[in-house]
Amino acid sequence: MASNPTQELQSEFLSTIRKSQETVIEAIRNWAETVQSVVPKGASVQVPLADQLPKPEEVVASAYDFAEHLLASQRTFAEEILKVTAPLLPSGDSAPKAAASK
């Protein structure tokens, strides 16, 4: 169990998000199965230059890789802001705690 109210709230929020994601995945799965059942076997849609487009998996991976780097950059930026403003903070808070995941 989470050790403080903020962590508990975050945990509950993430759990709720995951449950809603599972509901959406199930709805899309049902939709895809329905579409498959009404589309004639062997039928396909021809998209011009489709072979030159990236695969959906590559697009998702690339987007999340970018987001990960952006978030890491923003975290570094925020930590640097805390360092340069530390002298303005009340005593005892002169430096932010180092991130364990760095």
Side-chain angles (χ1 to χ4, degrees):
M1 182 171 238
S3 61
N4 67 49
T6 301
Q7 288 175 334
E8 289 175 12
L9 184 59
Q10 289 174 351
S11 178
E12 187 174 325
F13 181 76
L14 291 173
S15 176
T16 301
I17 293 294
R18 184 64 197 143
K19 286 176 186 174
S20 65
Q21 290 170 337
E22 289 169 357
T23 301
V24 170
I25 289 169
E26 186 60 30
I28 292 172
R29 180 179 291 117
N30 290 336
W31 172 82
E33 289 171 357
T34 301
V35 169
Q36 284 178 323
S37 72
V38 296
V39 173
K41 297 287 183 202
S44 64
V45 175
Q46 300 298 322
V47 177
L49 306 173
D51 59 331
Q52 296 178 14
L53 296 172
K55 294 183 174 155
E57 297 85 359
E58 294 169 342
V59 173
V60 169
S62 177
Y64 276 89
D65 288 345
F66 172 73
E68 181 180 345
H69 289 123
L70 180 61
L71 189 57
S73 174
Q74 287 298 105
R75 180 178 187 155
T76 300
F77 174 69
E79 289 171 346
E80 289 297 317
I81 294 292
L82 290 175
K83 286 179 189 175
V84 299
T85 59
L88 303 174
L89 297 175
S91 65
D93 292 339
S94 61
K97 293 183 171 93
S101 62
K102 274 192 163 181

